[in-house]
């Protein structure tokens, strides 16, 4: 915020010149010394304010940098959460279709399928297919559990990141107010 400190310095210098412009120079010079002392005091105040503005400006810039970093992390987490949610929906859809199919077949559907074979080779082939289907179902259920856990973790991370972003945003607002006042 170098512009703010320059403006503050310019205002201070103008105040000093304005106060000195109304002074008539007496023969003995004592009031002139008083005005110079006042000008020195005003300049010291301006320098102190300039330093405070610089510190507040640096604090603001640091908070902005942290905020930008957190915001980038929030975006990454939101993207990851979207991908996880989509995968979760996909897995739930596949499993729902499988459960519906199993329900429609009834409790004896698998047994009927095995007993309906006409040879041992057909029985073994059908058995292998059923085993593959069961293994696939089990792996999808396990993947769904993992995905749900990851979704929960990502939601917690997102909430923490959003809280941190709010803290940095509040810090930036406070620093900006300090600079402007």
């Amino acid at each position: 915020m170098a512009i703010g400190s320059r403006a503050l310095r310019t205002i201070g210098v103008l105040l000093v010149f304005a106060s000195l412009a109304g002074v008539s120079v007496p023969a003995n010079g004592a009031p002139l010394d008083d005005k110079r002392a006042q000008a020195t005091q005003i300049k010291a105040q301006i320098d102190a304010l300039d330093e405070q503005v610089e510190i507040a400006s640096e604090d603001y810039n640091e908070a902005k940098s942290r905020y930008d970093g957190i915001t980038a992390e929030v975006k990454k987490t939101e993207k990851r959460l979207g991908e996880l949610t989509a995968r979760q929906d996909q897995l739930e859809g596949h499993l729902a279709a499988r459960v519906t199919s199993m329900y429609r077949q009834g409790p004896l559907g698998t047994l009927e399928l095995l007993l309906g074979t006409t040879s041992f080779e057909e029985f073994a082939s059908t058995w292998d297919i059923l085993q593959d289907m069961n293994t696939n179902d089990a792996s999808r259920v396990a993947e769904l559990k993992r995905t749900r856990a990851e979704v929960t973790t990502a939601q917690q991370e997102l909430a923490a990141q959003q809280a941190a972003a709010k803290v940095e945003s509040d810090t930036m607002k406070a620093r900006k107010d300090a600079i402007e006042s």
Side-chain angles (χ1 to χ4, degrees):
M1 294 303 299
I3 293 174
S5 64
R6 286 184 193 148
L8 191 59
R9 185 180 302 249
T10 303
I11 291 170
V13 170
L14 289 174
L15 287 173
V16 169
F17 284 132
S19 65
L20 291 177
V23 175
S24 59
V25 180
N28 63 4
L32 183 60
D33 291 338
D34 290 343
K35 295 299 178 181
R36 284 187 182 149
Q38 284 178 343
T40 303
Q41 182 182 11
I42 290 172
K43 184 176 180 340
Q45 290 173 348
I46 290 171
D47 289 344
L49 289 174
D50 187 38
E51 185 176 334
Q52 290 175 355
V53 167
E54 287 296 322
I55 290 171
S57 176
E58 289 174 14
D59 289 346
Y60 174 86
N61 290 336
E62 289 173 9
K64 174 111 174 75
S65 176
R66 288 190 303 269
Y67 177 80
D68 290 344
I70 291 170
T71 302
E73 289 297 318
V74 165
K75 288 179 182 177
K76 286 180 188 176
T77 303
E78 286 174 339
K79 180 181 177 191
R80 189 170 129 245
L81 184 58
E83 292 168 353
L84 288 170
T85 302
R87 181 62 182 152
Q88 178 180 341
D89 292 344
Q90 181 185 29
L91 289 169
E92 287 173 349
H94 286 298
L95 289 172
R98 180 76 174 111
V99 167
T100 302
S101 171
M102 290 171 60
Y103 176 76
R104 288 186 180 167
Q105 286 178 356
L108 300 177
T110 305
L111 184 60
E112 288 175 358
L113 189 62
L114 286 173
L115 293 177
T117 59
T118 57
S119 69
F120 182 76
E121 186 177 295
E122 188 179 349
F123 177 84
S125 177
T126 303
W127 179 263
D128 288 342
I129 290 171
L130 290 173
Q131 285 294 96
D132 289 344
M133 288 173 63
N134 287 336
T135 302
N136 188 18
D137 290 345
S139 70
R140 284 189 178 178
V141 168
E143 185 179 355
L144 180 60
K145 286 180 181 180
R146 282 191 310 273
T147 303
R148 284 182 177 165
E150 289 179 31
V151 165
T152 300
T153 301
Q155 288 170 334
Q156 291 169 347
E157 287 176 10
L158 182 61
Q161 290 168 345
Q162 288 172 334
K166 177 157 179 19
V167 167
E168 292 304 328
S169 176
D170 292 346
T171 300
M172 286 173 23
K173 184 180 180 320
R175 294 303 179 220
K176 182 179 177 187
D177 291 346
I179 292 169
E180 291 175 350
S181 65

